[in-house]
Amino acid sequence: MKLTVLGFWGGYPYQEEGTSGYLLESNGYSLLMDCGSATLIELEKKIDPLKLDAVVLSHYHYDHIADVGVLQYYRQLHSSKEAKPILPIYGNEEDPRHFEELNLAGISKGYGYAEETILHLGPFTLTFLPTIHPVPCYAIRIHDEVSGNDLCFTGDSGYLPELADFAHGAKVFLADTYLFNGHERHVAHLTAGEAGELAAKAAVEQLILTHLPQEGDLEVLKYQAQETAGKLPVLLARRGLEIEI
Ligand SMILES: [Zn+2]
Ligand SMILES: [Zn+2]
């Protein structure tokens, strides 16, 4: 599968770049994971948004869902072009108000997932793990049957030892690293050192730091993650970054 980073900032867009949004493509199937600020404008550069096959959301904080509404409008306003299937949007049902908003008649439909769910979407198989966060949020592991490889995305999470098992053996660990060291065991996000530690315990091949902070030196963030990650390569997410997994 090909991972394309559409947005990577935590909390809010910054300097013309957006928040959480990742395009995963394999065998002609396109899955959008999270849909934060500027996701749609970046998605337009990569594929026709009408060709998107499905969306999966880690949780309903706005830096992860801000563009869901405009993605629905995009498809609604192009509905005369050609008949197309209703876009499935997968999210948790623990927040009924936001879950309901995934539905737009004739355009998109919300489907619930939970911890025990195994989702088969095109070539992808998705599994879920609840994270440590102020609202219900899930880490998502995606297996691609074409390459045989896995990506594990933490969603937003404070330090959760179970993430090491959940991500074990994945080729890429895409980790919420909103915090510099010194804020360990936070209620919402990982520190750089914690992200590196989990990646090393999970024996992944590569750690990508994402959900990045706007304040502070990102090279220091990367260094702090590398200290605990050991030899495995650590990358900072950036707009347009493409990784073959
Ligand atoms: Zn977030
Ligand atoms: Zn969040």
Side-chain angles (χ1 to χ4, degrees), residues 1-8 20-26 29-34 46 124 142 144 147 150-153 171-175 206-210 235-245:
M1 72 181 114
K2 184 169 78 175
L3 160 69
T4 304
V5 176
L6 303 175
F8 60 88
S20 193
Y22 309 94
L23 177 62
L24 298 162
E25 296 170 284
S26 177
Y29 191 92
S30 301
L31 171 67
L32 178 65
M33 183 167 69
D34 278 354
K46 299 295 174 186
F124 301 125
I142 299 172
D144 174 25
S147 69
D150 290 47
L151 161 75
C152 183
F153 172 49
K171 191 157 180 185
V172 169
F173 187 51
L174 181 62
Q206 186 170 46
L207 168 60
I208 302 178
L209 310 181
T210 194
L235 274 184
L236 291 168
R238 61 176 188 277
R239 179 174 56 179
L241 175 67
E242 293 184 357
I243 303 272
E244 201 59 48
I245 298 172

Side-chain angles (χ1 to χ4, degrees), residues 10-11 59 61 63-64 133 156 189 211:
H59 66 305
H61 274 154
D63 51 328
H64 301 255
H133 207 53
D156 281 3
H189 303 290
H211 203 277

